[in-house]
Amino acid sequence: MKQKILIIDDDMDLCRLLRNNLEQEGYYVCVCHDGITGLKEAKSSDYQLVVLDIMLPLKNGYEVLREIREDSFIPILMLTAKDSEGDKVSGLRMGADDYLTKPFSNSEFLARVSSLLRRYTVFNAANNSDNNVIIGRLSIDKSGREVRKDNFLIDLTAKEFDLLLFFAENKGQVFTKRQIYHAVWNDEYAFDDNNIMVHIRRLRKKIEDDPENPKYILTVWGVGYKFGGDTE
């Protein structure tokens, strides 16, 4: 089956060139010329790569990137006419996987595309194994004991990792502090609420966009905690 690539760029001549080159390599290619149409297409079909320009009509590339990253790990190669280090850093921090500054050669473009698709294939194979838990924008590698959000590694302590994994593997289930302590600390609960609360507070700071309004680790007042909410 052909791998599917979506190009979102308002430069029609460039799009025509890139499409022809990619199709000659055996890829299926779809082209959109504005941010709104491109975002809708990215979310409505199963693509393996998005080639995304920054300067787009209706919705710029940064906005498109942010909305794609809300629920997808698909590789994104960003294009721009600006030779600016700031643009590159901004795109990468927001979740872009690679970056090309116009003008660029066809050979370099195809090499970047091939590399991203190869990495995505390996990443998907790993994610489909029993060693990984994927919830929303979080990816938990159980065997490697690593957690990533939008492909960025999050530095967790051993106990924070154990706590997060426990919640993630029991998404939606409400646990009392006693149950959490038994499962994660593997010890008798000594009414040490502060220990649990401190770890949850630290974990929220690391995985939540807004720790004061968490979407992953939710408080169930009068009962305990659960993993759920708007994580998709």
Side-chain angles (χ1 to χ4, degrees), residues 185-203:
W185 274 261
N186 195 28
D187 199 358
E188 287 299 317
Y189 181 62
F191 299 97
D192 190 5
D193 290 359
N194 186 62
N195 191 20
I196 295 175
M197 293 170 65
V198 166
H199 277 81
I200 288 178
R201 183 167 62 249
R202 289 175 178 170
L203 187 55

Side-chain angles (χ1 to χ4, degrees), residues 92-105:
L92 294 175
R93 282 180 174 173
M94 291 177 66
D97 297 277
D98 206 349
Y99 192 98
L100 273 176
T101 301
K102 300 175 183 178
F104 47 81
S105 69

Side-chain angles (χ1 to χ4, degrees), residues 9-38:
D9 196 311
D10 62 340
D11 185 334
M12 295 188 182
D13 290 335
L14 176 62
C15 287
R16 190 178 301 111
L17 175 64
L18 297 181
R19 181 174 195 161
N20 289 339
N21 290 334
L22 288 170
E23 288 179 343
Q24 288 178 13
E25 295 294 319
Y27 300 111
Y28 169 84
V29 182
C30 178
V31 175
C32 298
H33 298 300
D34 67 78
I36 291 179
T37 305

Side-chain angles (χ1 to χ4, degrees), residues 102-171:
K102 300 175 183 178
F104 47 81
S105 69
N106 179 56
S107 59
E108 181 179 13
F109 172 73
L110 291 176
R112 300 290 184 94
V113 167
S114 176
S115 177
L116 287 172
L117 288 171
R118 185 167 57 251
R119 283 156 49 189
Y120 184 61
T121 300
V122 173
F123 181 71
N124 269 354
N127 286 343
N128 290 330
S129 73
D130 292 336
N131 287 325
N132 290 267
V133 178
I134 308 295
I135 297 181
R137 295 154 60 197
L138 290 178
S139 171
I140 305 171
D141 177 358
K142 293 193 289 186
S143 60
R145 293 184 65 82
E146 290 185 345
V147 176
R148 296 179 182 272
K149 182 178 181 180
D150 297 334
N151 284 339
F152 288 94
L153 185 65
I154 299 175
D155 185 20
L156 299 182
T157 66
K159 194 59 68 179
E160 288 168 352
F161 179 89
D162 292 340
L163 183 61
L164 176 60
L165 182 60
F166 170 72
F167 277 127
E169 289 187 323
N170 297 279
K171 180 185 175 185

